[in-house]
Amino acid sequence: MDRRKRKRLLLYILNLCLTALLFTVLTLLIDSGTLDRMQSNLLSLVCINVILAVSLNLVTGVLGQLVLGHAGFMLVGAYAAALFTKNSGLPLGVSFPIGLVLAGVVAALFSVVIGIPALRLKGDYLAIITLGFGEIIRVVANNLDVVGGAMGLSGIKAMATRDNPAGLFVYAFAIVALVVFIMFTFGRSRHGRAVIAIREDEIAAEASGINTTYYKLLAFVIAAFIAGVAGGLYAHHVGVVDPSKFDFNKSVEILIMVVLGGMGSITGSIISATVLTLLPELLRGWLGDFADYRMLVYSIILIIVMLFRPTGLLGRYEVTVAGAASRVKGWLSRGRSSRKEV
């Protein structure tokens, strides 16, 4: 094994150890009661929003296509997972992971149906079509008695129980880690470079022999699959699938997380999704019920960021262990050289 491969393997092992350490600490805090039920539920919601932001970043940031119907795929996944766990007759520990996979597959099938015609368009037209898809799904769900209509689908089994408070968080955190790993790996693969080439110049990418329609649809389907899984997690987080919660504002909220963090930066999406999820709870005592002002505050923050940092907080920069280690090494070497000069 050469030096470069050995270094890469060590970085993978280090990242895995840090992720396992964070997971262990948070799980112990939840199981021991140090974090109460509200705080543990908030951690699960952070994980769900991170999954949504990272998945949308694949299409909007890496591919460069504006999508405004991401909440529609989330809604489809939520219904698919909830209906399966309710009607399968299997124990929840068995039906829940199967339901999450089913939620992703159903959302991916819907993305193929909408993506084949929509991804031939660009810019505003694509945004309008995906927006229409999200609204159509919500309206259909509102009038479909099989899924509860406007009353929503209730009676969904909860993963987090009094005996197992970290039940949902375990799945949510594991999926976050898997999704982030897949996104980083995809971005550095041959397929990821093809998607980035389409973002930079679609005409040049097509002239170079890249099948632009295939790669655009591939990124769209992967993002929809992940959003469907996030919808399945959300359904078992709140216990009720209410179509009104998956409207245009929800899609915009996910888009804001991507734009604030930096379009194309996975690390930026993780940071912005975490902050914007925790912000309502941190400001609840100061502004009363922050839910009434959330979108107003988000809009103000977005305007400020666009004025002073148009590329988002991190732009396309990624915060990695290797990057942090090299910076620390550089600071230490500069410190030694300055002391030698003195």
Side-chain angles (χ1 to χ4, degrees):
M1 183 182 295
D2 59 19
R3 184 177 179 182
R4 181 178 297 179
K5 289 184 178 179
R6 187 166 60 250
K7 183 179 179 181
R8 186 178 300 173
L9 179 61
L10 289 174
L11 288 174
Y12 279 138
I13 294 174
L14 181 58
N15 287 328
L16 179 62
C17 291
L18 291 175
T19 303
L21 178 62
L22 178 62
F23 171 75
T24 303
V25 170
L26 292 176
T27 305
L28 288 175
L29 289 175
I30 295 173
D31 287 336
S32 64
T34 305
L35 296 177
D36 58 28
R37 188 166 185 175
M38 186 187 73
Q39 292 169 332
S40 61
N41 287 339
L42 188 60
L43 283 178
S44 299
L45 186 59
V46 167
C47 293
I48 293 170
N49 285 338
V50 167
I51 295 169
L52 289 168
V54 171
S55 64
L56 182 60
N57 203 354
L58 175 61
V59 179
T60 302
V62 180
L63 181 61
Q65 303 292 323
L66 181 60
V67 174
L68 294 178
H70 214 53
F73 299 120
M74 187 183 177
L75 177 61
V76 170
Y79 274 124
L83 288 172
F84 181 80
T85 55
K86 283 188 67 175
N87 302 312
S88 65
L90 298 171
L92 188 60
V94 177
S95 63
F96 182 62
I98 298 175
L100 292 181
V101 175
L102 181 63
V105 171
V106 173
L109 291 176
F110 272 84
S111 72
V112 172
V113 173
I114 188 64
I116 289 176
L119 290 173
R120 297 182 182 275
L121 304 175
K122 301 177 183 178
D124 300 339
Y125 301 104
L126 177 62
I128 292 171
I129 286 182
T130 53
L131 170 62
F133 161 75
E135 290 301 302
I136 289 172
I137 290 294
R138 185 180 61 83
V139 171
V140 170
N142 263 323
N143 294 276
L144 204 60
D145 294 334
V146 178
V147 295
M151 297 294 293
L153 184 65
S154 58
I156 302 171
K157 301 175 182 178
M159 282 298 298
T161 61
R162 183 173 298 178
D163 297 330
N164 186 20
L168 183 67
F169 174 76
V170 170
Y171 282 95
F173 189 94
I175 293 172
V176 166
L178 181 61
V179 167
V180 171
F181 173 75
I182 291 172
M183 290 297 104
F184 270 111
T185 305
F186 180 81
R188 287 159 175 76
S189 67
R190 176 173 61 89
H191 302 292
R193 289 194 293 271
V195 172
I196 293 172
I198 295 172
R199 179 191 67 193
E200 298 300 327
D201 193 327
E202 186 173 345
I203 297 176
E206 193 167 5
S208 301
I210 296 175
N211 189 340
T212 56
T213 302
Y214 167 78
Y215 280 109
K216 286 163 71 175
L217 185 61
L218 175 65
F220 197 61
V221 169
I222 293 174
F225 180 91
I226 298 172
V229 174
L233 287 170
Y234 183 80
H236 291 83
H237 170 69
V238 297
V240 177
V241 181
D242 183 0
S244 64
K245 300 293 184 182
F246 301 86
D247 58 0
F248 171 67
N249 287 331
K250 184 63 178 179
S251 295
V252 171
E253 186 176 336
I254 303 169
L255 181 63
I256 288 174
M257 294 176 185
V258 175
V259 175
L260 284 181
M263 296 176 66
S265 172
I266 298 172
T267 314
S269 295
I270 295 172
I271 295 173
S272 62
T274 303
V275 171
L276 291 181
T277 306
L278 297 176
L279 191 63
E281 295 301 322
L282 296 176
L283 297 179
R284 188 178 298 278
W286 182 41
L287 293 177
D289 190 1
F290 184 72
D292 297 335
Y293 309 96
R294 187 179 74 254
M295 294 307 295
L296 175 62
V297 174
Y298 288 177
S299 302
I300 294 172
I301 294 174
L302 184 62
I303 291 171
I304 294 172
V305 171
M306 289 300 100
L307 288 175
F308 297 99
R309 184 79 176 178
T311 58
L313 296 177
L314 295 183
R316 293 175 183 169
Y317 178 76
E318 299 289 358
V319 179
T320 60
V321 175
S326 62
R327 288 200 171 194
V328 171
K329 185 178 180 181
W331 291 336
L332 293 175
S333 62
R334 284 196 297 269
R336 292 195 198 99
S337 61
S338 61
R339 283 197 297 271
K340 287 180 181 179
E341 293 176 359
V342 173

